[in-house]
Amino acid sequence: MTLTTIGYGDFAPATPAGRIFFVIFSLGGLGLFGNLLSAAAEARSKMPGYSSLKGFAASLVLGTSLFYLVDDPGLPKTALDSLYFSVVTGTTVGYGDHSPQTDSGKLAVIVYSIISLNAIADVIGEVSDLWNNLAASL
């Protein structure tokens, strides 16, 4: 989850070599991940009928359903907690009150993180554009 900047408090490098690797991996990986998000946003902007709000809502439905259905003792067990976890994960807050324990749970979080970060980046970009246009018209 390092490249998405989501931290649940369940994993951290413990050795000096691990910390050096983390620094190199994170700084290089964040740039690559940012480029991936940018390319995905550009591709979506060319899709007819695409709306960032629809994409964001769909990502929340996906995350809530996915986390509710995946059998993992560290993931939420109710629909409300699954929605909460979807937002905590998608916004990269990562409080740590829920964190995946099984391989299937970890895979679900990785897949959802990539999808939700794209959706939230789109919404943030659209709100920023609206704000800038409003400020320019004043």
Side-chain angles (χ1 to χ4, degrees):
M1 298 309 306
T2 299
L3 296 182
T4 62
T5 71
I6 302 168
Y8 296 116
D10 62 333
F11 175 79
T15 66
R19 291 183 176 141
I20 290 169
F21 174 78
F22 164 80
V23 168
I24 295 166
F25 180 75
S26 294
L27 294 176
L30 282 173
L32 291 174
F33 192 69
N35 285 336
L36 172 69
L37 288 177
S38 179
E42 187 171 328
R44 275 190 312 281
S45 71
K46 296 176 182 173
M47 294 171 56
Y50 178 77
S51 158
S52 63
L53 291 178
K54 288 179 192 175
F56 176 67
S59 79
L60 286 180
V61 169
L62 171 70
T64 301
S65 303
L66 187 63
F67 299 136
Y68 183 76
L69 295 172
V70 170
D71 186 22
D72 184 309
L75 292 180
K77 304 297 177 230
T78 68
L80 177 59
D81 284 346
S82 295
L83 173 62
Y84 160 79
F85 185 70
S86 296
V87 172
V88 166
T89 299
T91 57
T92 74
V93 172
Y95 284 123
D97 50 346
H98 296 287
S99 99
Q101 306 298 313
T102 64
D103 288 343
S104 61
K106 291 174 184 176
L107 180 61
V109 170
I110 289 168
V111 169
Y112 177 70
S113 297
I114 293 168
I115 293 168
S116 66
L117 288 173
N118 274 286
I120 287 176
D122 281 353
V123 169
I124 290 170
E126 196 166 301
V127 168
S128 177
D129 289 346
L130 289 171
W131 184 258
N132 288 335
N133 291 340
L134 178 64
S137 69
L138 295 178

